[in-house]
Amino acid sequence: MVHEFSYVAPTSLDELLATLSERTKAGERAVVLNGGTDLLVSVRAGLERPDVVVDMKRVPELHRLSFDNKEGLTIGATVTVDEVLASEEVRERYRVFHAALSELADHHLRNRATVTGNLVTASPCGDSTSPLLTLKAELVITSASGSRRMKVQEFITGVKQTALKPDEIVEKIVVPAESAGARGGYRKLKRIKGHDLGLVMVALYRTDDEIRLSIGSAAPRPVLIEGIKPGTDADRVKTMAQAAINPIDDVRASAEYRRAMVDAFIEQLLEEVK
Amino acid sequence: MKIQVSINGTEYVRDVAEHKTLLSFLRGVLGLTGTKGGCGAGECGACTVIMDGKAVKSCLILAAESDGATIETIEGEAAGSELSDIQKAFERHHAVQCGYCTPGMIMSVKDLLRRNPTPTRAQIIHGIEGNFCRCTGYEQIIEAVEELAGTRTTKGELDYV
Ligand code: FES
Ligand code: FES
């Protein structure tokens, strides 16, 4: 790394939170290090200039993945994408989420990258964001002075921007039990067959009385459309989606292409869950 | 800070600057230059090593994070002048041209075959999707792995030419 920083690795949650609060109060830029697959890239690119990097991977309390019928699915901060993918519970009960995570980067990165990290990075093309939105996931945000809960759509405030304060961490993600077992699908448009950033992604979630749709890479913030009645005409759903998105032209794709593919994906996904 | 790592069975205790990556530690501090650096951003896979049993990209890990870890690199493959089975298969199938991707590619193949000793062609392609090769076009690499998986009986020499 061109930029120099120091490194600390607390071994308990209390120590981690105290470190963040003290360092931040002292005017230092303290940045949490989770899987590192985004942070170290940003540091190298000069986009992030931490004074101290606080590794959270040695905190055992944060490395828990569990499911129960009341609380739902709880994903601790340092649980890696591959660990979530390996969970039978996730594979069986949260199919769309599972499908989306298997599209996230490649095997080596999934060994390190975490689901919370993917959310905190808040990239419009994050693969976990759209499915978590349709699942009504909540984040537990914790600092030395306490915890608060927040919905994913409130958490992500803009391109790579979140509601997280410098002394806070996302302690865990909670996916409600009611969202388990729903049908749905995930579509991701890429330039190549192998791993790539999504040019546009659509997640669809369907229960007996509602369809929810989330679209990524098509607006500064991920888009969620709720309360669609099953059986609604595909053209109507597409019109709703087109009104909600605001894609840009960039080096990877034109806005027009993105819009066209959102329509195509919606049509395919609606057909699948009929 | 001082870190202790086990690399290819040898214990190392070294001082390392806290902002240095595992990749630069391996190459710059330990002189284990078999592992290559390419993009430095997790995309090309040249820097792939196996850490605590998992294939990872060493350009995206701080040396400090690897304190206490067990690491395998390309230097652990050959025993003296005797190449490992994966290396021999790569040689037979001409899976190496410039060789820059090879150390990372071999570590990914090693990890793949450990998880799944008999991968299908699709699983092989999936297993090396994080490793770019700009020379071979991948076909020879896939054939080498197919031979190791026992799903190809021909013994290299560019079957399709
Ligand atoms: S150098 Fe690490 S992935 Fe390219
Ligand atoms: S042999 Fe040259 S990049 Fe693979």
Side-chain angles (χ1 to χ4, degrees):
Chain A
M1 298 287 127
V2 200
H3 173 73
E4 296 188 11
F5 50 79
S6 59
Y7 168 92
V8 288
T11 52
S12 74
L13 185 56
D14 288 343
E15 190 192 340
L16 170 75
L17 298 172
T19 307
L20 280 177
S21 128
E22 283 157 22
R23 299 282 192 144
T24 306
K25 272 194 201 118
E28 285 183 276
R29 174 132 184 90
V31 178
V32 164
L33 170 65
N34 202 342
T37 55
D38 282 313
L39 177 62
L40 297 186
V41 177
S42 301
V43 172
R44 174 179 278 266
L47 301 171
E48 179 62 80
R49 304 179 65 78
D51 297 310
V52 57
V53 154
V54 186
D55 191 354
M56 68 194 326
K57 288 188 296 296
R58 305 220 179 217
V59 177
E61 300 101 296
L62 295 176
H63 196 212
R64 285 188 197 137
L65 178 67
S66 64
F67 177 84
D68 74 69
N69 287 321
K70 244 177 69 211
E71 262 292 300
L73 178 72
T74 305
I75 308 167
T78 62
V79 176
T80 66
V81 173
D82 253 10
E83 287 165 345
V84 177
L85 283 172
S87 147
E88 279 304 314
E89 234 88 55
V90 176
R91 190 195 307 268
E92 279 164 22
R93 296 172 204 268
Y94 301 99
R95 270 191 38 216
V96 180
F97 186 39
H98 195 273
L101 289 187
S102 38
E103 291 275 354
L104 192 151
D106 59 43
H107 171 64
H108 309 56
L109 292 181
R110 289 192 296 266
N111 267 334
R112 298 289 294 175
T114 60
V115 178
T116 36
N118 193 243
L119 269 188
V120 172
T121 295
S123 162
C125 61
D127 280 295
S128 58
T129 317
S130 297
L132 286 174
L133 273 173
T134 63
L135 292 169
K136 303 220 158 175
E138 290 194 346
L139 309 178
V140 176
I141 297 173
T142 306
S143 72
S145 47
S147 274
R148 54 188 179 130
R149 269 174 103 103
M150 198 178 251
K151 294 208 173 73
V152 175
Q153 55 267 57
E154 292 157 14
F155 178 72
I156 297 178
T157 53
V159 177
K160 302 213 167 178
Q161 274 167 358
T162 70
L164 205 62
K165 301 199 187 96
D167 63 341
E168 289 179 325
I169 62 159
V170 175
E171 187 184 335
K172 55 192 166 193
I173 300 170
V174 183
V175 186
E178 305 85 76
S179 300
R183 288 188 290 153
Y186 184 68
R187 287 283 191 291
K188 175 176 179 176
L189 179 67
K190 302 185 284 188
R191 290 163 297 184
I192 52 170
K193 269 198 251 161
H195 72 95
D196 190 16
L197 300 175
L199 303 177
V200 81
M201 302 94 92
V202 179
L204 184 142
Y205 163 101
R206 180 197 162 145
T207 59
D208 286 344
D209 36 48
E210 187 189 8
I211 291 176
R212 294 180 209 147
L213 202 62
S214 176
I215 306 162
S217 279
R221 299 171 58 208
V223 169
L224 173 68
I225 304 168
E226 309 172 70
I228 306 168
K229 287 270 159 292
T232 307
D233 188 52
D235 284 336
R236 241 191 76 73
V237 179
K238 287 189 224 166
T239 310
M240 288 159 89
Q242 293 297 340
I245 62 176
N246 183 20
I248 54 166
D249 290 311
D250 66 11
V251 286
R252 297 188 295 129
S254 67
E256 193 189 352
Y257 182 39
R258 288 187 159 106
R259 282 193 182 274
M261 288 310 291
V262 165
D263 277 353
F265 285 158
I266 289 176
E267 192 152 330
Q268 290 170 13
L269 288 166
L270 284 174
E271 193 58 38
E272 261 179 40
V273 298
K274 247 192 183 148
Chain B
M1 70 182 264
K2 211 174 245 347
I3 62 167
Q4 175 171 12
V5 282
S6 164
I7 300 172
N8 306 321
T10 305
E11 295 288 330
Y12 296 87
V13 179
R14 291 286 190 283
D15 255 320
V16 64
E18 294 175 15
H19 65 282
K20 288 287 185 193
T21 61
L22 176 58
L23 174 64
S24 75
F25 175 71
L26 290 171
R27 293 178 54 87
V29 178
L30 299 182
L32 295 171
T33 52
T35 306
K36 304 300 181 218
C39 63
E43 286 170 18
C44 72
C47 66
T48 305
V49 300
I50 299 179
M51 181 162 117
D52 292 330
K54 290 177 174 175
V56 294
K57 293 180 169 172
S58 61
C59 68
L60 293 187
I61 297 175
L62 296 175
E65 288 178 77
S66 72
D67 186 22
T70 301
I71 295 167
E72 297 162 75
T73 68
I74 189 67
E75 283 89 351
E77 282 302 287
S81 60
E82 179 74 9
L83 296 179
S84 72
D85 289 346
I86 301 176
Q87 287 173 314
K88 282 183 192 157
F90 269 54
E91 188 186 24
R92 274 197 299 278
H93 288 270
H94 299 254
V96 178
Q97 283 185 30
C98 78
Y100 202 82
C101 70
T102 313
M105 194 65 88
I106 286 184
M107 297 324 280
S108 289
V109 169
K110 186 172 190 167
D111 164 70
L112 168 69
L113 292 174
R114 239 181 225 163
R115 286 182 288 126
N116 176 6
T118 54
T120 61
R121 192 180 166 84
Q123 288 167 333
I124 295 169
I125 292 172
H126 197 243
I128 59 170
E129 83 174 326
N131 294 83
F132 290 176
C133 175
R134 295 292 85 153
C135 300
T136 65
Y138 302 101
E139 189 53 42
Q140 297 96 306
I141 296 171
I142 296 166
E143 286 174 7
V145 185
E146 281 179 333
E147 190 204 317
L148 291 162
T151 51
R152 169 174 289 270
T153 45
T154 51
K155 290 283 179 263
E157 297 307 327
L158 303 179
D159 306 331
Y160 52 88
V161 184

